[in-house]
């Protein structure tokens, strides 16, 4: 079964100013409601003409998926985009629930940022989070 979803995720820039990014996701489901497909993202895909990959599942009113950027994508302290397709991209984990009242999926996304060693046994990782919403077209 093929499905198309459109949505947006919300983030904040380096100055803590909120913004949202539109995306569309085309996926194919198997009989167990596990899906995989591709994502067109307003900022990254327009700049690179590349799709992200996605895989996940739906279990009744719960959805979980991972978007994978095909190459390195970030922004510097001034908010300028950094894209380097000679380096691997990162994953973004999404987890959400069906909102019957609104007729949309909504939830949170999470991405691991820079990881640093503190001493010999401690590892510190930055975790960035935000929310998302999407609906089936």
């Amino acid at each position: 079964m093929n499905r198309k979803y459109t949505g947006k995720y919300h983030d904040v820039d380096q100055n803590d100013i909120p913004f949202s990014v539109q995306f569309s996701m085309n996926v194919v489901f198997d009989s167990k409601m596990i899906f995989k497909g591709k994502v067109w993202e307003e900022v990254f895909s327009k700049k690179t003409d590349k799709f992200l990959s996605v895989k996940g599942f739906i279990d009744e009113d719960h959805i979980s998926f991972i978007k994978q950027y095909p190459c390195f994508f970030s922004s510097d302290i001034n908010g300028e985009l950094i894209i380097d397709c000679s380096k691997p991209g990162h994953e973004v984990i999404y987890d959400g629930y069906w909102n019957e009242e609104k007729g949309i999926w909504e939830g949170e996304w999470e991405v691991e940022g820079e990881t640093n060693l503190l001493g010999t046994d401690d590892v510190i990782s930055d975790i960035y989070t935000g929310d998302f919403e999407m609906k089936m077209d």
Side-chain angles (χ1 to χ4, degrees):
M1 164 175 49
N2 296 330
R3 287 194 180 158
K4 180 179 181 181
Y5 297 91
T6 56
K8 60 185 171 183
Y9 67 85
H10 306 278
D11 201 353
V12 293
D13 67 12
Q14 288 76 5
N15 299 311
D16 287 331
I17 297 172
F19 67 94
S20 62
V21 175
Q22 305 287 326
F23 66 87
S24 63
M25 191 164 79
N26 293 296
V27 298
V28 177
F29 284 87
D30 69 13
S31 61
K32 296 179 182 177
M33 294 304 285
I34 296 171
F35 63 85
K36 61 182 177 177
K38 58 186 180 177
V39 178
W40 181 264
E41 225 179 64
E42 180 182 41
V43 177
F44 177 82
S45 298
K46 279 185 178 180
K47 193 84 166 164
T48 65
D49 204 32
K50 294 181 183 291
F51 287 91
L52 289 72
S53 62
V54 66
K55 60 183 177 182
F57 68 88
I58 292 178
D59 183 13
E60 296 182 11
D61 67 343
H62 177 230
I63 189 167
S64 181
F65 58 95
I66 299 172
K67 289 185 350 188
Q68 173 73 50
Y69 285 86
C71 54
F72 182 81
F73 173 60
S74 187
S75 57
D76 64 19
I77 60 172
N78 299 314
E80 296 296 320
L81 293 180
I82 303 168
I83 299 171
D84 185 346
C85 288
S86 70
K87 296 180 181 176
H90 64 277
E91 292 182 339
V92 183
I93 300 168
Y94 286 75
D95 194 68
Y97 290 89
W98 177 250
N99 182 321
E100 185 70 38
E101 192 173 292
K102 294 180 180 178
I104 62 172
W105 293 100
E106 56 186 5
E108 293 186 345
W109 59 264
E110 176 181 295
V111 63
E112 186 174 333
E114 189 174 326
T115 300
N116 294 300
L117 293 174
L118 292 179
T120 57
D121 296 327
D122 294 327
V123 176
I124 298 282
S125 292
D126 292 328
I127 303 292
Y128 302 98
T129 61
D131 60 358
F132 79 95
E133 60 187 66
M134 68 182 195
K135 64 179 182 173
M136 188 171 65
D137 285 352

